[in-house]
């Protein structure tokens, strides 16, 4: 059974960089069948796709966040990570990591982690 | 960008009822690239349907998906107490490649 677990600070100051890591167990980020993605959900609102990465390092980002987002993968640790720069209160959300078969849909999700942007 | 519009925003229903949720796309979506998720409070979304009509592993057969082009439907044949949740559709397509609908909340009447 594939499991994903997000980790990182729950509080980030405005204008700082949000950094999260997703650790994958029961599966490998090096599998060629899957992309690995970040999605976020502001409190009480809907889901927003942030971006995804392939094990080779190839990435695709939501154009609305592209200028501030970096997703990377560490195959040796079976992890992938998210960095979102210049955060504001609008970036306060639950951040989820997920597995994406063929880059098409999300079949396994982490439990999510709430990141609050506040001074 | 393909925009997914879900309707209605909220449905108030009783256990045992049949429910049909709508997801309409602003442009045609390949049936292979339409998925549905269920989200309960405090939990991550759970994949229900992919490829418009294929049930994900472990999903009860009371859940079914259908549709093509710009109109897709998720049907729950008989609502169980655990089915009261928010449901999202999601498509894979052009930039951005992955987008979600705004969700439909199914609440207890």
């Amino acid at each position: 059974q594939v499991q994903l677990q997000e980790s990182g600070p729950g509080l980030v100051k405005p204008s700082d960089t949000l950094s999260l890591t997703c650790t994958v167990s029961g599966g490998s980020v090096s599998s060629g069948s899957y992309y690995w993605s970040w999605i976020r959900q502001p409190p009480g609102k809907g889901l927003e796709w942030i971006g995804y990465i392939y094990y080779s390092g190839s990435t695709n980002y939501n154009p609305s966040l592209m200028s501030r987002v970096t997703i990377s993968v560490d195959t040796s640790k079976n992890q992938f990570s998210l960095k979102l720069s210049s955060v504001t209160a609008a970036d306060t959300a639950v951040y989820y990591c997920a597995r994406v078969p063929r880059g098409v849909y999300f079949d396994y999700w982490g439990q999510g982690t709430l990141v609050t942007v506040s001074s | 960008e393909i925009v997914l519009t879900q309707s209605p925003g909220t449905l108030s229903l009783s256990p045992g009822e049949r429910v049909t949720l709508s997801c309409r796309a602003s442009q045609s979506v390949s049936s292979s690239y339409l998925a549905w998720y269920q989200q309960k409070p405090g939990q991550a979304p759970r994949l229900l349907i992919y490829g418009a009509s294929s049930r994900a592993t472990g999903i009860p057969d009371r859940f079914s998906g259908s549709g093509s082009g710009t109109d897709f439907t998720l049907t729950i044949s008989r609502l169980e107490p655990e089915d009261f949740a928010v449901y999202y559709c999601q498509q894979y397509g052009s930039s951005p490649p992955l987008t979600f609908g705004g969700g439909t909340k199914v609440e207890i009447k």
Side-chain angles (χ1 to χ4, degrees):
Chain A
Q1 178 82 343
V2 175
Q3 292 185 315
L4 298 93
Q5 178 67 58
E6 305 89 351
S7 59
L11 180 64
V12 180
K13 289 183 168 52
S15 77
D16 282 357
T17 295
L18 178 160
S19 296
L20 296 174
T21 295
C22 182
T23 301
V24 179
S25 58
S28 172
V29 298
S30 298
S31 170
S33 300
Y34 305 104
Y35 291 72
W36 303 90
S37 186
W38 289 96
I39 305 102
R40 69 180 184 177
Q41 185 172 37
K45 297 188 178 181
L47 300 161
E48 180 181 34
W49 173 71
I50 299 171
Y52 60 47
I53 191 165
Y54 196 53
Y55 77 98
S56 63
S58 172
T59 55
N60 197 335
Y61 300 137
N62 190 323
S64 68
L65 298 169
M66 184 181 296
S67 63
R68 299 193 292 131
V69 172
T70 302
I71 297 176
S72 59
V73 64
D74 187 336
T75 56
S76 67
K77 295 181 178 179
N78 218 29
Q79 296 175 334
F80 62 104
S81 298
L82 168 70
K83 290 188 185 299
L84 181 66
S85 63
S86 305
V87 297
T88 69
D91 295 309
T92 293
V94 175
Y95 286 77
Y96 296 100
C97 58
R99 190 179 80 167
V100 196
R102 299 180 290 119
V104 174
Y105 56 87
F106 309 91
D107 63 349
Y108 285 95
W109 296 65
Q111 65 185 26
T113 187
L114 174 64
V115 179
T116 301
V117 179
S118 175
S119 55
Chain B
E1 176 182 350
I2 295 178
V3 177
L4 299 178
T5 302
Q6 293 189 241
S7 60
T10 302
L11 272 173
S12 298
L13 297 165
S14 301
E17 289 195 83
R18 177 185 180 89
V19 56
T20 300
L21 307 181
S22 171
C23 176
R24 180 161 291 177
S26 59
Q27 303 171 44
S28 184
V29 174
S30 168
S31 295
S32 299
Y33 299 151
L34 195 288
W36 290 91
Y37 303 83
Q38 176 194 68
Q39 187 179 34
K40 297 179 181 178
Q43 296 185 18
R46 177 176 70 147
L47 177 67
L48 297 176
I49 301 288
Y50 63 95
S53 60
S54 297
R55 273 187 300 276
T57 303
I59 301 303
D61 61 7
R62 65 179 181 273
F63 290 92
S64 63
S66 63
S68 63
T70 60
D71 290 297
F72 296 87
T73 298
L74 174 70
T75 299
I76 310 172
S77 60
R78 185 179 171 84
L79 273 172
E80 297 288 339
E82 62 268 29
D83 299 337
F84 291 92
V86 179
Y87 293 84
Y88 294 95
C89 58
Q90 172 255 314
Q91 67 87 34
Y92 166 82
S94 57
S95 182
L98 297 165
T99 57
F100 292 92
T104 291
K105 182 179 182 180
V106 177
E107 63 178 21
I108 299 176
K109 188 173 182 179

